[in-house]
Amino acid sequence: MSSIAQVQRQAYGKANVRITKAIRHSAEWNDIVEVTCRVLLEGDFEEAYTKADNSKIVPTDTVKNTCFIVAKKSNHVQTIEHYGYELGKHFIDRYDHVTHAHVHIVQERWARINVNGEPHPHSFYRDGAETRQTWVTVSANDVSIKSGMDGLLVLKTTGSSFTNFHHCENTTLQDAEDRIFSTTVKAHYNIDTSAGVDKVPFDRIFEGVRTTTLDIFSNDDSASVQATMYRMASLILKRFPEIRDVFYALPNTHYFTANLAPFNLPNSGQEMTIFSPITDFSGLITATIGRSSTKI
């Protein structure tokens, strides 16, 4: 009797593999990198599901060990795209029945401590909750890489408005000629690797995307989150030809003006200085912005 069930797609592996590597350039001058890895393997594993045959299963413990081994041998762990590619390529090259290796890496921010105005050679502090991330998929004939950031919390006290929006019977929001603009930036970008992974300046691209995001956020006279987001992505695409498209998710964290009228205190116009942060709900604006097919 044939089964009514069929494995349509599968992948398995190890998640939450945390690795910290001290990079010892000399006895005194060190760097530090801290990452969390997830590696999922896809391939000829169907009989493990359908026939309880484990003969082709690479144990997830082996996957975990491999993350540490490749990190130990690699000179590229600080550039997580290179490290992710080395990890994925290992599984493709080592196991004939693995067709795709999917690697996701999250890097924490460690910054060098300055002591007496000089960077300390081996002491660091955690520079906020922001992370750098990459998603690398390696197969025998191809590699795809998406990278970006998450958790970059920004705020500006002026230079943002929201007016002339659509009104209907359910609208209560009033025009805001000037408001606090705060968001936690999530930005991802797909990278063209056709020239070769070793040819892509991943670190320069990441720092450039981060800097562009902060510059436009700070300097744009924002008419909406949507408009500011589009300006960010457009400039990134102009500056970095290696980037195919940019995805942003910007939750609009609301700061509502506190009502101080009952206390005979002004809190509007130029005297609007007291706000109440709202954490129960937020706007969420997302977009993927790619290259126009029309050349100007």
Side-chain angles (χ1 to χ4, degrees), residues 156 158-162 176-181 220-224:
K156 65 179 182 179
T158 190
S160 174
S161 63
F162 189 55
E177 299 288 347
D178 193 21
R179 62 176 183 170
I180 285 180
F181 181 6
D220 183 39
D221 189 8
S222 177
S224 66

Side-chain angles (χ1 to χ4, degrees), residues 60-105:
T60 64
D61 188 66
T62 301
V63 175
K64 177 261 296 178
N65 292 341
T66 302
C67 292
F68 286 103
I69 293 166
V70 174
K72 176 66 176 179
K73 295 179 177 180
S74 175
N75 294 321
H76 304 294
V77 177
Q78 283 178 293
T79 302
I80 55 175
E81 292 87 354
H82 281 301
Y83 173 49
Y85 176 67
E86 290 175 344
L87 263 180
K89 195 169 187 309
H90 168 87
F91 289 105
I92 294 299
D93 291 346
R94 177 63 180 80
Y95 307 104
D96 291 340
H97 57 291
V98 174
T99 60
H100 295 79
H102 307 279
V103 182
H104 177 216
I105 300 175

Side-chain angles (χ1 to χ4, degrees), residues 18 47 51 75 78 93 114 198 202 206 226 237 258:
R18 298 186 63 187
E47 291 188 353
K51 297 182 179 179
N75 294 321
Q78 283 178 293
D93 291 346
N114 284 321
D198 59 331
F202 293 107
F206 174 78
Q226 288 89 337
L237 292 172

Side-chain angles (χ1 to χ4, degrees), residues 1-2 7 18 69 72 94 126 134 174 176-177 197 208 216 231 240 242 272 275 294:
M1 182 178 177
S2 61
V7 178
R18 298 186 63 187
I69 293 166
K72 176 66 176 179
R94 177 63 180 80
R126 175 58 55 81
T134 192
Q174 301 297 307
E177 299 288 347
V197 173
I216 296 297
R231 285 199 64 196
F240 300 101
E242 302 92 345
M272 183 168 51
F275 302 85
T294 303

Side-chain angles (χ1 to χ4, degrees), residues 45-281:
F45 300 111
E46 183 172 345
E47 291 188 353
Y49 295 85
T50 61
K51 297 182 179 179
D53 179 356
N54 294 334
S55 60
K56 291 186 177 181
I57 291 290
V58 180
T60 64
D61 188 66
T62 301
V63 175
K64 177 261 296 178
N65 292 341
T66 302
C67 292
F68 286 103
I69 293 166
V70 174
K72 176 66 176 179
K73 295 179 177 180
S74 175
N75 294 321
H76 304 294
V77 177
Q78 283 178 293
T79 302
I80 55 175
E81 292 87 354
H82 281 301
Y83 173 49
Y85 176 67
E86 290 175 344
L87 263 180
K89 195 169 187 309
H90 168 87
F91 289 105
I92 294 299
D93 291 346
R94 177 63 180 80
Y95 307 104
D96 291 340
H97 57 291
V98 174
T99 60
H100 295 79
H102 307 279
V103 182
H104 177 216
I105 300 175
V106 178
Q107 181 180 6
E108 307 292 340
R109 284 183 68 88
W110 284 108
R112 200 173 292 277
I113 296 173
N114 284 321
V115 178
N116 297 323
E118 297 293 331
H120 196 274
H122 54 254
S123 297
F124 306 84
Y125 69 95
R126 175 58 55 81
D127 189 10
E130 177 195 350
T131 59
R132 176 176 174 177
Q133 302 190 25
T134 192
W135 292 258
V136 181
T137 295
V138 182
S139 67
N141 302 312
D142 194 24
V143 56
S144 66
I145 298 179
K146 178 176 72 173
S147 295
M149 70 191 78
D150 198 0
L152 175 59
L153 178 60
V154 293
L155 179 150
K156 65 179 182 179
T157 57
T158 190
S160 174
S161 63
F162 189 55
T163 62
N164 301 318
F165 45 84
H166 187 275
H167 284 257
C168 70
E169 66 276 8
N170 296 330
T171 302
T172 58
L173 186 67
Q174 301 297 307
D175 282 359
E177 299 288 347
D178 193 21
R179 62 176 183 170
I180 285 180
F181 181 6
S182 179
T183 187
T184 302
V185 177
K186 175 185 288 186
H188 301 153
Y189 45 90
N190 285 296
I191 300 173
D192 183 357
T193 60
S194 59
V197 173
D198 59 331
K199 303 293 185 183
V200 181
F202 293 107
D203 292 337
R204 182 175 65 83
I205 291 171
F206 174 78
E207 291 301 331
V209 169
R210 187 176 187 273
T211 298
T212 301
T213 298
L214 292 174
D215 286 351
I216 296 297
F217 174 82
S218 301
N219 296 319
D220 183 39
D221 189 8
S222 177
S224 66
V225 179
Q226 288 89 337
T228 299
M229 176 189 294
Y230 182 78
R231 285 199 64 196
M232 291 173 177
S234 297
L235 189 53
I236 287 168
L237 292 172
K238 180 179 180 181
R239 288 177 171 175
F240 300 101
E242 302 92 345
I243 293 180
R244 290 174 169 166
D245 55 54
V246 182
F247 167 81
Y248 274 111
L250 302 182
N252 191 3
T253 305
H254 300 297
Y255 286 75
F256 291 158
T257 307
N259 180 18
L260 301 182
F263 313 104
N264 296 317
L265 292 172
N267 199 40
S268 61
Q270 293 298 315
E271 295 181 303
M272 183 168 51
T273 58
I274 302 299
F275 302 85
S276 177
I278 303 299
T279 58
D280 292 340
F281 54 85

